[in-house]
Amino acid sequence: MQLTGIHHLTAITADAAGNNRFYTETLGLRRVKKTVNQDDTSAYHLFFADGAGTPGTDITFFDWPAARERRGTNAITRTSLRVPEGSLDWWAGRLTDLGVSTGKVTNLDGRPSVDVEDREGQRLRLVAAPTPAGQPWDRSPVPAEHQIRGLGPITISVPELAPTEALLTQVMNMRRVRDYASPDGHGQVHVFEMGDGGAAAELHVAVQPNLPRARQGAGGVHHVAFRVPDQAALSDWTARVGQFRVPTSGEVERYYFRSLYFREPGGNLFELATDGPGFDVDEPRDSMGEGLSLPPFLEGRRTQIEAGLKPLA
């Protein structure tokens, strides 16, 4: 049994309109789904991805009126976005011109990278990597040859390695392949890969016992999801995680995919999610993300839900 890579990452914003502008206009991603948090229908759940909404390309946001994240350990701390090799100088120039907080292009863990923060302090990293390409979005303000190709690697911070490593290797069948010094000067980062490996299928674990415990909020991350091919594979994983007596949510129907949630020993929330049925299950692919989509069990409450949401424009 193997996970096949990063499926999606869900973060938190307190400014849905500004968040929508940044990820579509500045980063050039496509909004492939405008829906609500299925457990809190007062909050948008916005999905930004490649032109087709391919699994492994989407960064998503819950819109909650939360205070800013307090940074620290026991948290998902950096979300990498893969770009084509040779594109980082173009991106660094674009982001600097747009006034986005951007670091210098450096070589990190053997890959050219540049650290970026969105308007709320969401920590991103553009990584140039020869990994599977996403589908270009023909209405993106970013030229196709420079468009973001997908997610990964994702970095989490924990105060000690052993309990998290045991879950990753013994339960989730990941492989520890190498280590490097954390670029923030706090501890070592240990690289775990899944499936065929590569930047789209890596989890980086920073061990940082001297940092305070993080407090989740706007500009922070809620959870990271890993890919499984289909319902049958998810059922196998549900049984496997249960055999190790890891508490889980049980399988949850999210309509666009099916999920299983559990926490690793450092407290970070993990999700296993199926590749399908996908974001075009309820609307044409050409117009995905333009209107408010609701799963069938919420459709009867559409008028009430729409009345409680803020305009994005």
Side-chain angles (χ1 to χ4, degrees), residues 213-266:
R213 188 180 184 90
R215 182 186 65 212
Q216 201 168 74
V221 173
H222 189 268
H223 67 268
V224 60
F226 305 98
R227 293 176 66 179
V228 298
D230 51 34
Q231 172 65 66
L234 183 66
S235 295
D236 290 342
W237 277 105
T238 300
R240 179 176 179 82
V241 175
Q243 289 170 0
F244 283 87
R245 300 185 183 278
V246 177
T248 76
S249 62
E251 292 185 27
V252 180
E253 179 57 66
R254 295 303 190 195
Y255 190 50
Y256 308 111
F257 42 83
R258 191 168 175 85
S259 301
L260 179 76
Y261 300 86
F262 55 92
R263 292 189 184 274
E264 56 86 23

Side-chain angles (χ1 to χ4, degrees), residues 35-45 63-64 292 294-295 297-298 301-302 304-310:
T35 184
V36 294
N37 182 322
Q38 294 179 12
D39 303 313
D40 174 12
T41 59
S42 69
Y44 277 118
H45 192 180
D63 176 37
W64 284 330
L292 179 69
L294 296 175
F297 76 93
L298 291 177
R301 297 169 54 196
R302 175 176 287 273
Q304 172 194 354
I305 290 170
E306 287 185 322
L309 296 172
K310 298 170 290 187

Side-chain angles (χ1 to χ4, degrees), residues 190-212:
H190 309 275
V191 178
F192 294 82
E193 66 180 16
M194 63 205 90
D196 294 333
E202 290 178 359
L203 183 71
H204 292 200
V205 180
V207 180
Q208 300 175 313
N210 297 322
L211 294 182

Side-chain angles (χ1 to χ4, degrees), residues 100 142 144 179 188 190 214 254 302:
V100 178
V142 174
D179 309 325
Q188 287 286 114
H190 309 275
R254 295 303 190 195
R302 175 176 287 273

